[in-house]
Amino acid sequence: MNWHQCRTLPSLGEGKAAHFKKFRSDESGGITIMFLIVFIGIIAFCGLGVDLMRNEMKRAHLQATLDRAILAAADLEQELDPASVVQDYFDKSGLGDALSSTTVDQGLGYRVVSASASETSETLFLGLAGIQEITAPAAGEAAERMGNVEISLILDRSGSMGWNSVSGLPTKIENLQVAANEFIDTVVQGPGAPSLTTVSLVSYNATVSLGPVLSSYFNLSAEHNYSSCAIFPDSAFNTLGISRTETLDRLSHFDIQTTSENTTEILHPWCPDDSYGATIVHSSDPDELHAAINALGADGNTAIDLGMKWGTALLDPSAQDLVSDMITDGHIDAVAAGRPVAYDDSETLKIIVLMTDGENTTEYDLVPHLQTGDSDVWIDDRGDSDPSNDRFSSRIVDLPGDLLDVYYWDRFETGRFNQRYRNTPDGAAAARRMTNPEVYARFGTRALSNKLFRTPYNNGQLPWSEYSDVYYAYQGIVGADHADNRLSTICQGARDAGIIVFTIGFEAPQRGLDAMRDCASSPAHYFDVEGIEITQAFDSIARTITQLRLTQ
């Protein structure tokens, strides 16, 4: 063996190195190890999922039990101890030990119940990681708040409310009375109840009557004192309140329907001259409200804008001094003190319920020069208080000096042919001149013209200009389009102030329905109903006023 051969024989050290190099480069064993690592990870992840899923199922059951328990406990109509109600729910669900705490906060008109619970469960797989148990938590709060509700109920009593669509069925106003009375029974609660609801009742036709009591708290103009209705300029609909210090224009007292010439007073005053239809302010007395609703009849035109104006005014905080004064004078129960509250009072709901069966029509008043001053009518009251024997005459010629004046006598004296025209009024010195407000409180506008001015006109004793001045004694002051715009403005103002506005179109024409839809707080607050459906509408509104809600 030469030295070259010796170089090709591996030494012992070189063989071991080659062996380790080959082992190091062999990757077949690494795959097995990686598989084992991944497999163990999958098992651990699935185990974690199983434990978490079991815990989530337990948590969901626990939360559902807690939600039902606090909702039942917060119900103001249940008289049991709220905390006991919650515990009872958990006990009957087999979770009595899971309830951690129950907190009850309640007072006049509200109850808030909050609770927390937790339940632990042993783990199946997480124990391998040292986690022996996990906790399922549940918490929640439920509240019912019923107090502090102020409602303006604005009802249409115009002439069409006396109709019915089918002969023999109740009239619309009869259906309204049933619905409104049930509404009052639902929303107004008796003494000692956990809530206080006051209702201002505003009925309207061609106008809104304040009545003799409420009108005394406002500064109505002094043209007359026969009735108490106010008229407003357009600017008044840009605000919600009505000032008690600024002068309100008093609507004239007149009757455009009665044609009877022999009457002691007008039969259909445009504004009622008594307590009929009088506005009621913040009442919590169901009997008072029922009586007023049941007394309503159907007559006259429709002025929805005026009804809405007064309805919003009685919810405006500026009326607090009005309510305070009426409480002091014994006209409102003291429980209404502080009402109407501020718009941002979080404890108070302000609600308007406005209904109509028609649409805005023309609003009228006497022509300006007949609203005040002396008339051309004289009366001889015969020296007694019996109006049935009064005698009347009209001056149809007014010349310098009293002796040349000519009067038309309403009565005919037997044996004195064509002696109705005299130089003195009937009754001579015993007769007195009537004021315009006095005349139009006694006779309808058409009745007056027929009684004392038509014959002189037909006889050529009176020119057309003077006769038509009496015949057309009234004029339109607000047209239908104009009233629609005013209504839309005041409705927008109410919504902007946070007042919830419900509206009901009761067998109304399309124009009236459009006005109600425009006024409502949302489409869900608007109702288009017929017949007895009006009861369902009022019931739905009543149930919406107070809601039980889960707050957390």
Side-chain angles (χ1 to χ4, degrees), residues 6 41 57 162 164 166 224 252 271 273 296 302 311 359 394 439 441 460 482 485:
C6 291
M57 291 174 63
N164 56 19
V166 179
H224 67 87
S252 301
C271 175
D273 56 2
L296 295 178
T302 306
E359 60 187 6
S394 58
V439 166
H482 195 173
N485 291 334

Side-chain angles (χ1 to χ4, degrees), residues 63-97:
Q63 185 67 54
T65 301
L66 185 142
D67 288 347
R68 291 194 301 270
I70 60 177
L71 281 169
D75 185 358
L76 286 170
E77 293 184 358
Q78 72 87 13
E79 300 178 354
L80 300 175
D81 174 60
S84 299
V85 172
V86 175
Q87 184 66 59
D88 186 59
Y89 264 77
F90 274 80
D91 290 341
K92 290 179 178 177
S93 298
L95 298 170
D97 295 335

Side-chain angles (χ1 to χ4, degrees), residues 181 184-185 188-189 191 201 280 283-295:
N181 280 324
I184 295 299
D185 288 335
V188 178
Q189 299 178 331
L201 178 63
I280 296 176
S283 174
S284 57
D285 182 355
D287 293 338
E288 178 187 27
L289 293 165
H290 288 321
I293 291 169
N294 292 333

